[in-house]
Amino acid sequence: MPTLILVRHGRSTANTEGVLAGWTPGVALDERGTAQAAALPDRLAGLPIAEVVTSPLQRCQETIRPLLDARPGLNVHTDERIGECQYGDWSGRKLAELMDEPLMEVVQAHPSAAAFPGGESMRAMQTRAAEAVREWNARVEREHGADAVYLMCSHGDIIKSLVADALGLHLDLFQRISVEPCSITAIRYTRLRPFLVRLGDTGDFASLVPREEPPAGDAPVGGGAGAP
């Protein structure tokens, strides 16, 4: 079965403003995110990518544009199932403000029981994304062969949930996974099991440098803004 390259979108204006974007329209890459996207073709230069699948949201579309420009013959498909979690009434709100919501504790400690008001549950988010991957695995293998490589550009919580699925981790453990903006995660699928071969690879170790203010123990909902 194919190898899936998961790319989280580059850093967005919502990331830098500390806002939970969700499906809010008009959320674009910021200056750093644009630079991250511009570097993506060189980072992926050695990979024979067969197909590209992307979330419909603007920040993902902008992230893969340089790659598509560099490989004009590459087919690109939009799939809403790998779009961001539907955060409902939380969308567009400041993350600092959301930390006081009782639901946030559930999101952090027991995400399989978390359902966003006016939105979807995190369990439903994982299910739709995993179903999309399985369908695309079958399609890519059928059209390009069992050793094919394809790419999905998606969002932090989606990618974390797919990693948890690949590792056989309960969704309640997925907040232990971190994927920074424009990071690359690779999962090689086989008949018996998936293998996680890369996780959150940015090629940049800046996020490991100790900060003046240590990061909070909670996982950033939506994936966080990455290295400062």
Side-chain angles (χ1 to χ4, degrees), residues 6-222:
L6 289 160
V7 177
R8 185 183 168 201
H9 62 78
R11 196 174 74 176
S12 72
T13 53
N15 292 145
T16 48
E17 291 167 3
V19 170
L20 186 62
W23 284 68
T24 304
V27 176
L29 298 184
D30 68 6
E31 185 176 351
R32 180 170 180 171
T34 300
Q36 290 171 331
L40 201 55
D42 285 343
R43 292 172 64 198
L44 298 172
L47 292 178
I49 298 170
E51 304 279 349
V52 170
V53 186
T54 180
S55 157
L57 295 174
Q58 178 178 339
R59 52 199 184 273
C60 287
Q61 302 276 339
E62 291 179 350
T63 297
I64 61 163
R65 177 50 52 194
L67 177 64
L68 299 177
D69 289 344
R71 303 193 193 192
L74 196 54
N75 292 326
V76 60
H77 314 268
T78 298
D79 193 327
E80 291 194 355
R81 294 174 297 175
I82 62 166
E84 181 64 284
C85 184
Q86 296 277 5
Y87 295 118
D89 297 344
W90 279 27
S91 299
R93 293 178 61 187
K94 288 281 190 180
L95 287 165
E97 169 190 318
L98 291 170
M99 295 306 294
D100 294 328
E101 294 281 353
L103 178 60
M104 182 59 83
E105 185 177 6
V106 182
V107 170
Q108 292 292 327
H110 192 17
S112 65
F116 296 97
E120 69 180 333
S121 68
M122 301 198 90
R123 190 171 60 253
M125 173 200 73
Q126 182 186 44
T127 298
R128 63 170 163 86
E131 286 177 351
V133 166
R134 281 159 176 75
E135 289 182 19
W136 278 105
N137 281 348
R139 175 173 172 174
V140 169
E141 181 174 4
R142 185 171 61 249
E143 296 180 2
H144 300 281
D147 294 328
V149 177
Y150 75 108
L151 182 148
M152 282 186 169
C153 186
S154 188
H155 306 267
D157 281 349
I158 295 286
I159 294 172
K160 288 162 56 178
S161 75
L162 290 171
V163 170
D165 175 76
L167 292 176
L169 293 177
H170 196 284
L171 185 60
D172 286 347
L173 300 178
F174 101 126
Q175 297 290 28
R176 302 183 183 196
I177 299 165
S178 175
V179 289
E180 292 195 3
C182 225
S183 63
I184 293 172
T185 295
I187 302 171
R188 180 175 296 124
Y189 289 87
T190 74
R191 186 173 63 86
L192 295 180
R193 64 183 62 86
F195 292 90
L196 178 66
V197 293
R198 292 288 188 280
L199 176 61
D201 187 348
T202 64
D204 181 356
F205 296 105
S207 64
L208 302 181
V209 176
R211 305 183 190 181
E212 292 183 8
E213 294 185 11
D218 288 336
V221 181

